[in-house]
Amino acid sequence: MKNPFIAALPPAKDDDKQLMLKYTKGLADYDFENVKKMTVHEKIMAVNEMRTKFRICLSFQKQLEDAFHSSLVNSYRLRKLYRDTKAKIPANIVNQDVILHQKMYGDAADSANSSFALLGYSGVGKSTSLKQLLMDYPQVILHKVPGSEDVIPQIVYLVVNCLPNSNFNEMYISIGKAVDRALGNIQPYYEEVILKTKGLSSKMNKVIELIETFNIGIILLDEIQLIDFKHTKENSFEGLMTIVNATKISIAVIGTEDAYSKMFINLRNARRVGTLIDASTYTENDSYFKNIVSFMMNYQWFDTWVDCDEDMVNALKKCSYGIIDQLISLYVMMHIYYFEKKGKKPKVNGDYVRMVSRKYFPYMKQLNNLLKDPMSDNCLKKASEETKNHLKELLKKSEEQNKESEAKQIELSDMMLNIAKIKEPIIKDIENVGFDRIEIEKCFNKLIKKGLDDMSNREIKQTIISELTKPKLRARGKNKPLKKKCFKQSLNNKLALCYGCIFVILK
């Protein structure tokens, strides 16, 4: 019998084209022909959209997708739901008191669930990639119990942002806050419960209770390096491992290179966290960086079109160290300086890139030199040589997988660039006619699998509209069993209802 908590999740992504398309976003309204008509203010507003709307698929995102889905599925596979209508478990959802009749427990005989650690330089795209990843997953699903008005809540994931100089006491409170937000509790409820609980071990037990009550699949601790590990007892991190052992939940960590020493001085912790994903490896690949620049420079607001030569690519690489956030910031400032320059406009080339970098980012060289030698950090120096060597071995596999992704993306880059250019305008045009964006995207993605060949934008639109307006056929037959489906609908923009799920009820 299928596990309903797993059945309600979206399937893993195996198609490289679909993955690249998901993480690659261009600017839908961009047209170089309109640049000459724009005021300086309009140009500044337009180029600033590069910071928030421009996205490109990065090599570690495939590994992140796989690790996240695997961790989530294993989290539910290692646990069992126990339900008893006589049991009355108080809960609070959308700031309303409800009674639940079930809890999910991990099997003590099973080994602890391992997850992943996403680590890399600041600005390489870790948090942004995580946000893009989670867009495909409903955060909360309410499963309807057949023949009853009861619901079984499933919190698929929690994102907990670690605060600067915080400790594990505050982390547990933040988990309560994240549960409140997931359940739509505008007034703090579970945050207050954990806040009022005295003692670190008691707070940990409250977190375990929340995991078992709301069937939480995975907890993602973002910016883990901000925790004050210096004044935090070593056994505090062991507390997280205790939660994993007791519930079989997945706990993943996301952070900068500082987290290497702060979390993994004890190699045992590194292995227990699970897969190590190095988000920084793409910054060393020159061919991959050239692809990123090529896609980025399809959007420019200079007076004349700029063709990027080898010297300019090298300058962009040297000044940004290949880090996507710094690259985009540098590119934006290249435009801002250009707009504000009075009289004759400067020539945009490699020297221009280096000049803008010196003018607006004088700190960048000093900062990026530190990235070349992460062991220069005082905390990292304290890490033992043995631990460092083992961590390099653990990260080697991640680096190899990322290189494979980079090679595939370079191979498909021209095709994906063309698709990314036309995708948003086509979807927007059809959406304006009155069709649902999600359904349009589904049809567009189906076309990509079949191959767009030499279809014009008009033909693509016609094909999608034809597919959307096609009457839906329903299979009929007295003897044919109805296939059970999970229907999810929005509830207060937070929850989803799942009907037709059958649970194994153990009393």
Side-chain angles (χ1 to χ4, degrees), residues 71-86:
S71 299
L72 196 52
V73 168
N74 286 335
S75 174
Y76 288 117
R77 187 175 286 148
L78 295 172
R79 296 143 80 187
K80 293 180 182 178
L81 185 76
Y82 292 79
R83 177 173 164 81
D84 187 345
T85 53
K86 294 178 182 178

Side-chain angles (χ1 to χ4, degrees), residues 326-352:
Q326 293 186 13
L327 173 65
I328 292 174
S329 295
L330 177 59
Y331 190 62
V332 168
M333 292 314 300
M334 285 167 57
H335 282 84
I336 301 297
Y337 180 83
Y338 187 92
F339 299 152
E340 295 179 346
K341 184 71 174 176
K342 304 296 182 182
K344 186 178 179 181
K345 297 295 184 182
K347 185 177 181 180
V348 180
N349 54 21
D351 289 335
Y352 179 77

Side-chain angles (χ1 to χ4, degrees), residues 184-455:
N185 292 335
I186 298 175
Q187 295 295 327
Y189 185 87
Y190 291 107
E191 180 184 2
E192 289 291 324
V193 168
I194 297 179
L195 183 64
K196 292 175 182 177
T197 302
K198 294 183 179 180
L200 198 61
S201 61
S202 296
K203 281 180 166 62
M204 182 189 70
N205 288 330
K206 283 292 180 184
V207 169
I208 289 175
E209 188 178 319
L210 291 178
I211 292 168
E212 293 172 343
T213 301
F214 294 110
N215 308 301
I216 302 173
I218 188 169
I219 297 177
L220 302 145
L221 304 177
D222 199 10
E223 304 292 356
I224 191 72
Q225 76 282 352
L226 295 180
I227 291 178
D228 181 13
F229 284 85
K230 186 176 180 181
H231 296 96
T232 299
K233 293 180 181 178
E234 187 180 346
N235 61 7
S236 296
F237 192 82
E238 294 295 330
L240 287 180
M241 297 300 104
T242 300
I243 293 174
V244 172
N245 287 332
T247 64
K248 310 307 176 188
I249 192 176
S250 289
I251 295 182
V253 296
I254 299 95
T256 66
E257 68 284 354
D258 294 344
Y260 283 95
S261 65
K262 293 179 179 179
M263 290 179 57
F264 301 144
I265 286 178
N266 187 331
L267 183 62
R268 180 177 70 255
N269 290 341
R271 283 176 172 158
R272 289 170 74 183
V273 166
T275 303
L276 288 182
I277 303 174
D278 189 348
S280 302
T281 54
Y282 75 86
T283 62
E284 301 296 326
N285 189 325
D286 290 340
S287 298
Y288 189 75
F289 180 79
K290 190 175 180 180
N291 261 16
I292 294 176
V293 171
S294 175
F295 184 54
M296 179 182 73
M297 291 200 66
N298 274 276
Y299 304 96
Q300 47 181 277
W301 294 263
F302 304 113
D303 290 350
T304 56
W305 190 262
V306 176
D307 292 317
C308 189
D309 59 18
E310 188 174 347
D311 181 53
M312 190 170 173
V313 172
N314 291 337
L316 287 167
K317 177 74 185 296
K318 187 174 181 180
C319 293
S320 69
Y321 277 78
I323 297 172
I324 188 70
D325 182 62
Q326 293 186 13
L327 173 65
I328 292 174
S329 295
L330 177 59
Y331 190 62
V332 168
M333 292 314 300
M334 285 167 57
H335 282 84
I336 301 297
Y337 180 83
Y338 187 92
F339 299 152
E340 295 179 346
K341 184 71 174 176
K342 304 296 182 182
K344 186 178 179 181
K345 297 295 184 182
K347 185 177 181 180
V348 180
N349 54 21
D351 289 335
Y352 179 77
V353 172
R354 286 182 276 269
M355 181 274 295
V356 171
S357 178
R358 287 193 300 270
K359 182 176 179 63
Y360 292 102
F361 306 99
Y363 61 87
M364 194 179 283
K365 184 176 180 181
Q366 181 183 0
L367 175 67
N368 288 336
N369 283 339
L370 292 176
L371 298 179
K372 283 292 184 180
D373 182 19
M375 298 311 295
S376 62
D377 185 278
N378 289 332
C379 293
L380 291 169
K381 286 179 180 177
K382 296 176 183 178
S384 67
E385 279 301 319
E386 182 183 0
T387 299
K388 286 184 287 181
N389 291 334
H390 278 300
L391 281 173
K392 287 178 182 177
E393 290 174 13
L394 290 170
L395 284 166
K396 190 175 180 181
K397 184 178 179 182
S398 168
E399 186 177 346
E400 290 171 355
Q401 290 179 344
N402 288 347
K403 283 182 178 177
E404 288 178 10
S405 294
E406 288 166 14
K408 286 180 182 177
Q409 289 180 35
I410 291 170
E411 184 183 335
L412 297 170
S413 61
D414 289 340
M415 180 188 68
M416 297 310 299
L417 176 59
N418 292 331
I419 292 173
K421 280 182 182 178
I422 65 172
K423 180 185 176 183
E424 279 300 321
I426 287 175
I427 289 177
K428 194 170 182 180
D429 285 349
I430 301 176
E431 194 176 15
N432 289 337
V433 178
F435 291 100
D436 180 67
R437 183 180 181 85
I438 295 175
E439 294 302 317
I440 300 169
E441 283 203 76
K442 285 180 181 177
C443 291
F444 187 88
N445 291 341
K446 282 182 183 177
L447 270 182
I448 292 172
K449 285 185 178 181
K450 293 178 181 178
L452 298 177
D453 299 324
D454 297 322
M455 293 176 70

